[in-house]
Amino acid sequence: MATGRTPAEFTAALRAREQLIGYWSLLDSPIAAERLARLGYDYLAFDAQHGLFGYQGMLHNLLATDTKGSTAVGIVRVEANDPTYIGKALDAGATAVIVPLIDTAQDAADAIAAVRYPPLGRRSYGPMRAQLRIGPNPADTHAQTAVLAMIETADGLANVEEICATDGLDGIYVGPSDLRLAIGGTTSTDPSVQEEFEQALTRIRKAAEAAGIAAGIHNADGASAARRLAEGWTYVSIAADVVHLQQIATTHLDAARQKGESR
C-alpha cells in the first residue's frame, strides 16, 4: 500500500506542481471515508458547498481520513469565500481549502487572507483540532496548509491570469460543470460548446503554469483524470462517492437481471 504524506509533505508536493490524485466526497459517511483513505489516493476532498453534510459531518470525515493506514490528507471545498467557513474548515483539520466562485484577483486575495494568520492575513487563531497535525505555530501552519481558488465563472475565466498571479495563492481548481455553463452551455455537459470549453481549460492551465502554481480539475472518472494529467494538469479529483455508488449498484442490478433472464 502507498504511504501517505503528512500535511506538510502534501502541501509541498502541491506547490511543487507534482501530480496528485484525489477522490471527491459528497456523502456524510466517515466509515466510507476511512476506507477510501486507505486506497492510495493523495487526498480526499469533502464538499461542504454541495455535499450532504454540515460541520459535524465535515469534522468526522476529516477525522476518519486521518486514521491508521490512510494514504490521504483531507481537504475541503468550503461553502463560500468567507473567513468563517474557511476558518472552521482549517480548524477542523483540513490541509487545504478549495474556495468557490473566485471572479477576481481581489477575491483570491480575500481567500488567502482568510487562510493566513496575521500579519499575512486575518484568520482567527483557534486550531482546536488542527493543532494535533498542522502547525500549530502560524509560520508552520502557513507552510503546511494550501489555498486553492476555483475558476468556474465567466469573470473568473476572463481574469484568470491576474487570479493566478495573486501573491500567496497555491493553486487553482476548475469546476467543469459551472465553467461549461459560464461559456454558454445549456447544460453542465452540453457537447455543443466542447471546443470553447477545451480552449478555456487550456487558457486556465497555462495561466497556472506561467504563475508557477498548481492546476487542478474535477473529473467524472479515472480515465478522464488520466487524460488531464497527460495534458499537464498537476492534480485531479475523481468524483464522486454518491454517483459511483449509484453507478456500481446499477451495474450489479443489471448483471443480476440478465442472469435471471438467461435461465
Side-chain angles (χ1 to χ4, degrees), residues 94-161:
T95 298
V97 288
I98 301 174
V99 185
L101 301 171
I102 299 297
D103 290 333
T104 66
Q106 185 58 55
D107 287 344
D110 290 343
I112 295 161
V115 171
R116 307 301 177 208
Y117 293 117
L120 301 181
R122 57 193 299 252
R123 178 182 171 186
S124 178
Y125 191 84
M128 291 301 95
R129 189 256 158 173
Q131 64 184 317
L132 301 178
R133 298 187 73 244
I134 297 171
N137 295 326
D140 294 331
T141 301
H142 296 163
Q144 296 167 15
T145 55
V147 55
L148 308 166
M150 287 201 74
I151 307 298
E152 53 185 342
T153 66
D155 286 341
L157 177 61
N159 297 316
V160 67
E161 289 80 12

Side-chain angles (χ1 to χ4, degrees), residues 42-113:
D42 295 300
Y43 64 90
L44 297 186
F46 299 104
D47 189 350
Q49 183 189 24
H50 294 302
L52 307 174
F53 47 76
Y55 175 77
Q56 288 299 319
M58 176 180 69
L59 173 62
H60 293 160
N61 280 279
L62 287 170
L63 285 165
T65 303
D66 291 339
T67 54
K68 181 180 179 180
S70 173
T71 66
V73 300
I75 72 176
V76 173
R77 175 163 71 173
V78 296
E79 293 97 316
N81 189 4
D82 182 281
T84 298
Y85 294 136
I86 292 171
K88 286 174 76 71
L90 293 172
D91 288 349
T95 298
V97 288
I98 301 174
V99 185
L101 301 171
I102 299 297
D103 290 333
T104 66
Q106 185 58 55
D107 287 344
D110 290 343
I112 295 161

Side-chain angles (χ1 to χ4, degrees), residues 23 219-222 238-255:
Y23 192 80
N219 302 271
D221 51 53
I238 300 170
D241 49 12
V242 65
V243 176
H244 291 166
L245 177 63
Q246 179 179 339
Q247 288 175 344
I248 196 65
T250 300
T251 298
H252 285 293
L253 177 60
D254 290 344

